[in-house]
Amino acid sequence: MNTSIWVKVVLFSLMLSCTATNILRDGRTAFELKRYSEAIDLFDREYQKAKDKEEKAYYAYMLALSYERISKVAQSLKWYRKSVELDEDPESLEAYAFALKSNEKYPEAIKVFSKLYDEFGRDQRYKGQIAACRQAIKWQNVAARQLIQ
């Protein structure tokens, strides 16, 4: 009796491990399971295979999000930029602007927030972000002057 239970447990475990392997055939599933490193590999393959600009833009955006989730900032910015170059939808443009701001690339962030404000509705949040970036530039300049003295 104990042997049959043991065999069932082993078979059930094997079945689950095979199912987990099968689940990760696409980047979206890996991303949803918060397996971002695996999602990156899968999205990259899907990006390479994609034929049209919209599809490539989607995979570039998902690559950026995946890199962001594992704190790989440079790669995240690279893929946000590609996503925006392929398709300037407001969602990816906004994510790119916030990524630039988070990485202290304030002049570039101001340009993107300004574009969002001008082209996609005069949302006051974007005005606030522009003001925050300008203030951060001032603080950086003050800090730099203090270091020189």
Side-chain angles (χ1 to χ4, degrees):
M1 188 81 167
N2 284 341
T3 306
S4 75
I5 291 174
W6 178 250
V7 169
K8 288 178 184 177
V9 168
V10 169
L11 288 174
F12 183 71
S13 297
L14 285 171
M15 187 176 71
L16 282 178
S17 67
C18 290
T19 303
T21 302
N22 289 335
I23 288 174
L24 295 180
R25 289 190 177 170
D26 64 69
R28 174 178 250 155
T29 304
F31 187 87
E32 288 171 0
L33 292 171
K34 297 179 179 12
R35 296 172 73 169
Y36 303 117
S37 293
E38 293 167 80
I40 289 167
D41 292 336
L42 292 165
F43 282 134
D44 191 41
R45 279 189 235 143
E46 292 165 333
Y47 176 85
Q48 300 304 324
K49 290 179 184 176
K51 300 292 184 218
D52 66 32
K53 282 177 69 173
E54 279 185 19
E55 196 176 6
K56 280 192 170 290
Y58 167 77
Y59 292 127
Y61 180 75
M62 293 308 294
L63 276 158
L65 285 177
S66 298
Y67 276 116
E68 189 175 274
R69 296 299 196 299
I70 61 171
S71 301
K72 293 202 173 185
V73 175
Q75 293 92 332
S76 178
L77 280 173
K78 169 191 158 189
W79 286 103
Y80 276 130
R81 188 175 303 110
K82 276 190 183 188
S83 174
V84 167
E85 288 169 358
L86 290 163
D87 183 17
E88 280 193 357
D89 71 282
E91 184 180 356
S92 57
L93 204 57
E94 183 176 290
Y96 181 47
F98 278 107
L100 287 166
K101 181 183 170 206
S102 295
N103 290 285
E104 300 180 6
K105 297 184 182 300
Y106 301 118
E108 295 100 319
I110 289 170
K111 288 177 188 173
V112 179
F113 281 124
S114 295
K115 183 176 191 118
L116 281 162
Y117 182 80
D118 293 337
E119 294 182 19
F120 296 104
R122 302 202 174 271
D123 190 329
Q124 292 304 308
R125 291 178 305 145
Y126 302 136
K127 280 285 203 194
Q129 293 301 325
I130 292 166
C133 290
R134 288 184 177 140
Q135 185 62 47
I137 290 170
K138 288 179 187 175
W139 289 335
Q140 284 179 330
N141 291 337
V142 168
R145 280 191 298 249
Q146 289 175 345
L147 285 174
I148 293 171
Q149 296 176 352

